[in-house]
Amino acid sequence: MLKISAFSKLTRVSVKTLRFYDNLGLLKPAVVDENNGYRYYTEEQLLTVKRIVALKEQGFTLEQIKPLLEKNVVPKAVKNQLTDKKKELEQAIHAAQNQLNEIDRRLTRMEESEEHYHNPPATIRYVKPQLTASIRDTIPRTQLCLMLDEISQYVRSYGEDEGRLLTILWHDFGSMNSDPVDIEVALPLTKNIPSNGRVKVGILPELKAAASLVHHCNPYLNSCPAVTELMSWISSQNFVYSEKEPVREIYLTSDKDMYGTLRLAELLVPIEYT
């Protein structure tokens, strides 16, 4: 007979765990001293511990292991439990693989975003026309997220990827910091989908010349320092802001790729040459 401390060393299972197994009825001591409550185990019970360890390695919980240790367990019951566990593990592997694939996709998108941003100065660039689904409304700034979610759900309902670069169009740029704001949100499409009374599907026109500044934006703030920076740069280059098209802000980081409070964005201000 072995005291619990000696049995613990032999089995390499902690005394605390052995007591837990006892409380569960998974591994009862061979003898419990009525006077002092000391637990004693036999050497043969080492086999039971090995069986518990092996079943845990197969993914069984202690509750699932308990009936497998019974004297009268029948092979069919064991086979059924093994089959169920196999299915459970296959589902877990499938779920884990999906999670790995999603992490790989996010890493790829992060690398693509990093290519857009290397502390670049402001530049002038052409913006090509794009088929989009968009919603325009005059709303309190706090409701912008609701509009973004609304357009995302709409394009998703037609099988389009809502994770594409989302564009915000500020139709009243002079009052960009006012509230409410005349604003439009647009998502690029790969095919024509129906419009409705709220969502317009059409071509977002080209910008022949736009001042561009890629920056880290905090979408939780009501104002963006990049606006002041880019407008100052436009003035220094002897350009002027063109009011023929609204100022655009393109989110280069999707909602689900945001970590922390910053996302990569591109500010586009249409310009004219003086």
Side-chain angles (χ1 to χ4, degrees):
M1 301 285 284
L2 299 169
K3 287 185 178 181
I4 191 171
S5 56
F7 191 69
S8 172
K9 291 179 180 178
L10 179 65
T11 58
R12 293 187 292 276
V13 175
S14 71
V15 170
K16 182 179 179 180
T17 299
L18 289 173
R19 288 174 176 156
F20 183 57
Y21 288 172
D22 182 9
N23 292 334
L24 284 179
L26 195 64
L27 177 63
K28 305 293 290 184
V31 174
V32 177
D33 192 311
E34 295 182 357
N35 296 320
N36 53 31
Y38 288 171
R39 295 171 172 87
Y40 293 89
Y41 296 82
T42 64
E43 289 82 353
E44 290 83 357
Q45 288 181 294
L46 175 61
L47 175 59
T48 303
V49 175
K50 289 183 177 180
R51 292 170 63 197
I52 293 171
V53 171
L55 289 167
K56 286 176 64 178
E57 289 174 348
Q58 293 169 33
F60 288 98
T61 66
L62 295 179
E63 289 296 329
Q64 292 170 333
I65 289 171
K66 189 175 179 180
L68 296 175
L69 300 179
E70 299 292 337
K71 292 180 180 179
N72 299 323
V73 63
V74 296
K76 184 178 180 180
V78 175
K79 184 176 180 180
N80 289 341
Q81 204 158 343
L82 288 170
T83 301
D84 290 344
K85 177 55 65 174
K86 180 181 177 182
K87 291 179 181 177
E88 180 186 322
L89 292 173
E90 286 173 345
Q91 291 172 354
I93 290 170
H94 179 69
Q97 187 59 58
N98 286 340
Q99 291 171 337
L100 285 171
N101 292 341
E102 180 59 26
I103 288 173
D104 283 338
R105 285 190 288 268
R106 292 198 181 193
L107 286 170
T108 298
R109 291 194 293 267
M110 288 180 71
E111 290 170 359
E112 290 172 349
S113 294
E114 288 170 358
E115 292 177 2
H116 289 281
Y117 186 78
H118 296 289
N119 294 318
T123 59
I124 303 297
R125 80 174 185 91
Y126 167 76
V127 180
K128 64 182 181 180
Q130 171 70 55
L131 177 67
T132 64
S134 67
I135 298 174
R136 181 176 176 178
D137 203 350
T138 300
I139 59 168
R141 298 178 65 91
T142 55
Q143 294 183 14
L144 173 59
C145 284
L146 297 178
M147 282 184 67
L148 299 178
D149 187 64
E150 183 180 354
I151 193 65
S152 296
Q153 289 190 39
Y154 188 84
V155 302
R156 184 171 63 241
S157 70
Y158 287 95
E160 288 285 296
D161 180 9
E162 88 238 50
R164 294 194 182 97
L165 303 183
L166 195 148
T167 299
I168 299 175
L169 296 93
W170 301 91
H171 285 278
D172 190 6
F173 184 61
S175 302
M176 193 172 177
N177 293 326
S178 65
D179 205 19
V181 288
D182 181 4
I183 200 167
E184 185 176 1
V185 293
L187 268 173
L189 300 172
T190 60
K191 61 186 179 187
N192 261 308
I193 64 174
S195 299
N196 64 18
R198 175 81 167 157
V199 178
K200 180 184 76 174
V201 174
I203 300 296
L204 188 65
E206 68 178 359
L207 295 179
K208 292 184 177 180
S212 164
L213 181 64
V214 177
H215 62 288
H216 284 105
C217 167
N218 186 339
Y220 298 99
L221 297 179
N222 288 336
S223 61
C224 178
V227 173
T228 301
E229 180 181 347
L230 186 56
M231 294 304 291
S232 296
W233 182 85
I234 290 171
S235 177
S236 70
Q237 301 298 310
N238 295 320
F239 300 130
V240 293
Y241 160 52
S242 171
E243 298 184 11
K244 295 177 182 178
E245 289 291 335
V247 169
R248 303 181 189 180
E249 188 174 16
I250 302 175
Y251 286 166
L252 303 175
T253 303
S254 68
D255 292 349
K256 61 183 179 181
D257 289 334
M258 272 189 69
Y259 300 94
T261 59
L262 298 179
R263 76 190 324 159
L264 200 62
E266 181 183 19
L267 184 64
L268 290 168
V269 176
I271 59 166
E272 295 177 349
Y273 298 93
T274 58

